Amino acid sequence: MASGTKKKASSKNAVRAARSSVVTKRGFPWGTVIAVVAVVALAAVVVTYYLVQSAPKRALADWVPSASNPDPSLKLQGIVTVEYKGSVHVLPTERVAYDHSPPFGGPHDGYWAACTGIVYPKAVRTENMVHSLEHGAVWIAYNPDQVTGDALNTLKAKVEGKPYTMMSPYPGLDKPISLQSWGHQLKVDSADDQRVDEFITALRTNQNTYPEVGASCDALGPGAFDPDNPPPFDPTPPGPDAKPMNYQGSTGTQQDMGAGSTAPSAPAAPGSHTP
């Protein structure tokens, strides 16, 4: 009996040893752990990338116009607003004695400046630029003596290819940068000022803030307004024959047709719009 018991015990010990050997051979599941860690790390990278890339848009969410917040720009520090009458035109040979520099509303040329994400290398006649603001555009003006290099490139990136946006140098500007939309102006010292993007988000084609909702920003072309050869900026003070801010419009100009105004198919009389 003792011999039989010893054999059974020996057999059990052998089984235990075999099982222990199998477990030892299996070892720790490093492959599984590494795979899980890799998946978690990848997920973290994806989430971080999304948060970084979407941060600018999320930061600007409060500046998007809505029914409850029709003009978010009013919260911008330093914003200047004025109510201007729209659809008052002057001839290409006439000037306006604007009440602000750069101007951001008031009488203007019958032809609007092309504002389809254009960066003008030279200063453009203000009477044409103001007309574009009436169509819902944002105009970034800068002092060419103060804004150069990286700062200039930063501003260009905010304009190039962006609908209803335009940019041009403005000699003699009292601040490095001035942003204009119809009835709104904000002057800043740096291209990196977050208010630049906030102004654009709040006011570009904000149908609550400009007179001609749906009007075109396309180039009119030679004979009207040619973006490749725009009428030049006049740095001299307006003379005694300049039209005042309460001007009612020049003979020979046509009042705007309002929403849906588009560029005429061929050069037309100053101020004409084809619905």
Side-chain angles (χ1 to χ4, degrees), residues 209-230:
T209 61
Y210 67 99
E212 294 184 21
V213 176
S216 175
C217 243
D218 293 341
L220 290 168
F225 183 94
D226 184 356
D228 294 325
N229 187 29

Side-chain angles (χ1 to χ4, degrees), residues 17-256:
R19 289 177 178 173
S20 176
S21 175
V22 171
V23 171
T24 302
K25 288 180 180 179
R26 286 180 181 176
F28 191 79
W30 288 110
T32 301
V33 172
I34 292 172
V36 171
V37 170
V39 170
V40 172
L42 178 61
V45 170
V46 171
V47 170
T48 301
Y49 178 81
Y50 167 77
L51 292 175
V52 171
Q53 294 298 313
S54 65
K57 290 184 178 180
R58 289 184 287 109
L60 293 172
D62 291 339
W63 301 96
V64 176
S66 64
S68 60
N69 189 18
D71 186 1
S73 75
L74 298 179
K75 298 178 182 178
L76 287 170
Q77 182 179 3
I79 192 77
V80 175
T81 61
V82 179
E83 289 191 19
Y84 291 115
K85 178 182 178 182
S87 303
V88 177
H89 293 159
V90 300
L91 295 168
T93 55
E94 296 175 322
R95 297 187 68 186
V96 177
Y98 286 113
D99 56 350
H100 289 82
S101 181
F104 53 98
H108 48 270
D109 192 271
Y111 295 128
W112 61 87
C115 44
T116 53
I118 296 179
V119 175
Y120 292 99
K122 295 182 179 180
V124 180
R125 180 169 175 257
T126 53
E127 285 80 1
N128 297 95
M129 301 295 268
V130 171
H131 193 156
S132 301
L133 304 183
E134 189 183 42
H135 287 199
V138 166
W139 169 26
I140 299 180
Y142 66 95
N143 188 322
D145 294 328
Q146 296 178 302
V147 179
T148 59
D150 291 343
L152 185 58
N153 290 332
T154 296
L155 291 179
K156 286 181 178 179
K158 300 178 187 298
V159 175
E160 290 178 330
K162 308 295 193 304
Y164 288 88
T165 318
M166 58 187 182
M167 173 175 159
S168 69
Y170 195 89
L173 184 60
D174 60 348
K175 283 279 191 176
I177 301 164
S178 183
L179 302 139
Q180 287 71 226
S181 72
W182 186 265
H184 298 71
Q185 185 175 71
L186 178 68
K187 295 183 177 182
V188 299
D189 293 319
S190 169
D192 295 321
D193 193 314
Q194 66 183 21
R195 290 175 296 169
V196 174
D197 288 333
E198 292 167 352
F199 183 99
I200 295 172
T201 301
L203 293 167
R204 183 172 54 193
T205 62
N206 179 346
Q207 62 182 357
N208 305 298
T209 61
Y210 67 99
E212 294 184 21
V213 176
S216 175
C217 243
D218 293 341
L220 290 168
F225 183 94
D226 184 356
D228 294 325
N229 187 29
F233 172 77
D234 188 343
T236 63
D241 59 341
K243 308 308 177 186
M245 290 299 292
N246 60 356
Y247 190 58
Q248 297 302 306
S250 298
T251 302
T253 63
Q254 180 179 333
Q255 298 306 304
D256 294 336

